[in-house]
Amino acid sequence: MKSVSVRGCAGGAGVGALFAAVFVDVVYASGSDGPSWPVAATLLLGGVAVLWPAARHPRWLTPQLRTTVPAVASLVCTVDSVARSGALFGPGELAILLCLLFVAVRHCPRNWVVACAALDGGAVLALPVRPFLGELDTMLGFILIGLLLVGLTIAFAAYLRSQDYRRTVAVGETRRAERLAIAADLHDFVAHHVTGILVQTQVARMMADTGTEELDPVLAGIERAATEALASMRRTVGVLRDTDDAADRRPVGDLAGVADLVEGFASPVQKATLQRATAVPDDLPHEVQAAAFRVVQEALTNVRRHAGDATQVTVGLRYDRARLQVSVSDDGRGGSQLPAAAHGGGFGLVGLKERVTALGGELHAGPRAEYGWEVRAVFPR
């Protein structure tokens, strides 16, 4: 049985309140002297635009279309009601227009924000014209209240839009940093192998029999290619890193280092166990081993940050169908012994996913069936 979140309860309450407000609008419209279908059509368009699930939006239903069509319908209703004295407006239409104003400021493209927000805001400010066209003071009072609501909505939506932008920039920087780290790791791995080729080729040339004329030119070409590959790789990594400091590289671990990680993580209150299957080979590619090491390292760090009440942490290494499976699970319930400032920015998993998917693997992180958390990565050999 799934637990109901506070966010889900708040969303349900908001939808219920919106339906109640729309019902009040329908009652007002049916009690007026004129036809009620224009208001009903406006409420229908606005309700669909606000309540349509974001995950199921068709491509043609853009934010600018969602926010402008109901606003235009509301303005048409206002113009139509000017000829009919005593036409009322209800809280439902006001709430829908404010919601659409929020969507316009937060989600519309930059070149559409001002136009869509102005249209929705103008529709809100035009609502008091319907019943109070002949009462200037009352109409101005309601317009001032509308200005206050419009200003608060725009300010809140603009703040959230700025937070979205900051997070996008932060995620982009995290991915860029992780890619640079992968580039540095690539240099270490490939340089190791290419250097071995270079050394073995030099030895083979020295040991080659002087009578074998065909062998030496081939080995000389291999030596030349290996030397050029090393020089080209250094230049490429230097461009990716945007730095001339060749020593600025992070140490890379392997599967043998996972055991040291688990052993160093264990404490009197937290037991850590490494379950390594006998089928896991020792000769996996270095980049796969380094990525597996980083998955375990980040997962154990997150246990310390976010699950300080965990008593058992299990690290699993399995090898099946030419795929290395790495898992880290705990039995924590969300308690933490660290202050909030030490919890980090939440971008560690973003970097891990970038590293794992760069190797053709998959990364999953989420709660376990009963309680606790699990991070699982699968790497193809």
Side-chain angles (χ1 to χ4, degrees):
M1 180 178 177
K2 293 185 178 180
S3 60
V4 180
S5 64
V6 176
R7 184 176 181 180
C9 291
V15 172
L18 184 61
F19 273 109
V22 169
F23 178 76
V24 173
D25 281 33
V26 173
V27 172
Y28 282 170
S30 61
S32 62
D33 297 333
S36 60
W37 65 265
V39 176
T42 302
L43 294 174
L44 180 61
L45 287 173
V48 170
V50 171
L51 299 179
W52 197 319
R56 299 181 181 179
H57 280 171
R59 290 189 176 181
W60 56 266
L61 190 58
T62 59
Q64 49 268 37
L65 185 64
R66 288 175 60 196
T67 55
T68 55
V69 172
V72 170
S74 177
L75 289 173
V76 171
C77 274
T78 300
V79 173
D80 178 68
S81 66
V82 168
R84 297 182 285 110
S85 61
L88 299 176
F89 71 93
E93 188 175 355
L94 175 62
I96 288 174
L97 290 175
L98 290 176
C99 290
L100 295 178
L101 176 62
F102 177 88
V103 173
V105 175
R106 186 176 183 185
H107 298 296
C108 281
R110 293 181 61 182
N111 54 339
W112 281 90
V113 170
V114 175
C116 294
L119 197 59
D120 290 314
V124 171
L125 298 179
L127 290 178
V129 176
R130 299 180 187 177
F132 305 117
L133 182 60
E135 304 175 19
L136 185 59
D137 294 339
T138 305
M139 184 179 68
L140 290 178
F142 275 95
I143 290 178
L144 289 177
I145 297 175
L147 279 174
L148 178 62
L149 294 176
V150 168
L152 291 176
T153 303
I154 291 176
F156 184 53
Y159 169 75
L160 292 181
R161 185 179 182 121
S162 67
Q163 293 297 104
D164 293 340
Y165 174 76
R166 291 180 182 179
R167 177 167 180 81
T168 301
V169 171
V171 170
E173 289 297 323
T174 301
R175 288 177 174 170
R176 178 177 176 275
E178 196 63 33
R179 286 173 180 172
L180 297 184
I182 293 173
D185 293 347
L186 175 67
H187 175 274
D188 294 337
F189 299 143
V190 181
H192 170 78
H193 293 297
V194 174
T195 302
I197 294 173
L198 178 60
V199 173
Q200 293 181 38
T201 304
Q202 291 174 336
V203 173
R205 290 191 65 189
M206 290 188 294
M207 296 180 63
D209 189 3
T210 55
T212 56
E213 298 180 357
E214 296 84 4
L215 178 61
D216 190 75
V218 174
L219 295 178
I222 295 174
E223 179 182 356
R224 182 172 60 255
T227 303
E228 292 174 357
L230 283 172
S232 176
M233 190 179 307
R234 288 194 184 97
R235 289 193 298 268
T236 302
V237 173
V239 172
L240 288 174
R241 296 173 64 107
D242 293 330
T243 178
D244 296 326
D245 185 8
D248 185 22
R249 296 198 189 99
R250 291 190 289 176
V252 178
D254 53 13
L255 293 184
V258 172
D260 296 332
L261 273 180
V262 176
E263 182 180 357
F265 177 83
S267 65
V269 295
Q270 288 182 324
K271 296 181 180 179
T273 305
L274 174 61
Q275 297 178 350
R276 176 170 177 168
T278 56
V280 178
D282 294 325
D283 60 342
L284 288 172
H286 291 291
E287 57 268 27
V288 173
Q289 296 194 42
F293 180 89
R294 284 285 295 115
V295 169
V296 175
Q297 186 181 52
E298 181 65 25
L300 293 178
T301 302
N302 286 338
V303 171
R304 284 275 169 84
R305 286 176 174 171
H306 307 292
D309 60 341
T311 59
Q312 179 65 47
V313 180
T314 303
V315 179
L317 297 176
R318 291 179 295 277
Y319 190 76
D320 181 36
R321 292 180 296 181
R323 297 190 307 171
L324 175 66
Q325 301 180 26
V326 183
S327 63
V328 181
S329 59
D330 65 83
D331 59 354
R333 299 177 183 270
S336 178
Q337 300 173 353
L338 298 179
H343 285 180
F347 302 116
L349 291 178
V350 175
L352 276 187
K353 188 171 184 179
E354 185 73 19
R355 176 184 287 264
V356 172
T357 53
L359 297 175
E362 300 175 358
L363 180 71
H364 167 77
R368 300 170 65 187
E370 298 180 358
Y371 50 84
W373 193 268
E374 182 181 34
V375 177
R376 184 174 65 255
V378 179
F379 299 94
R381 182 184 178 94

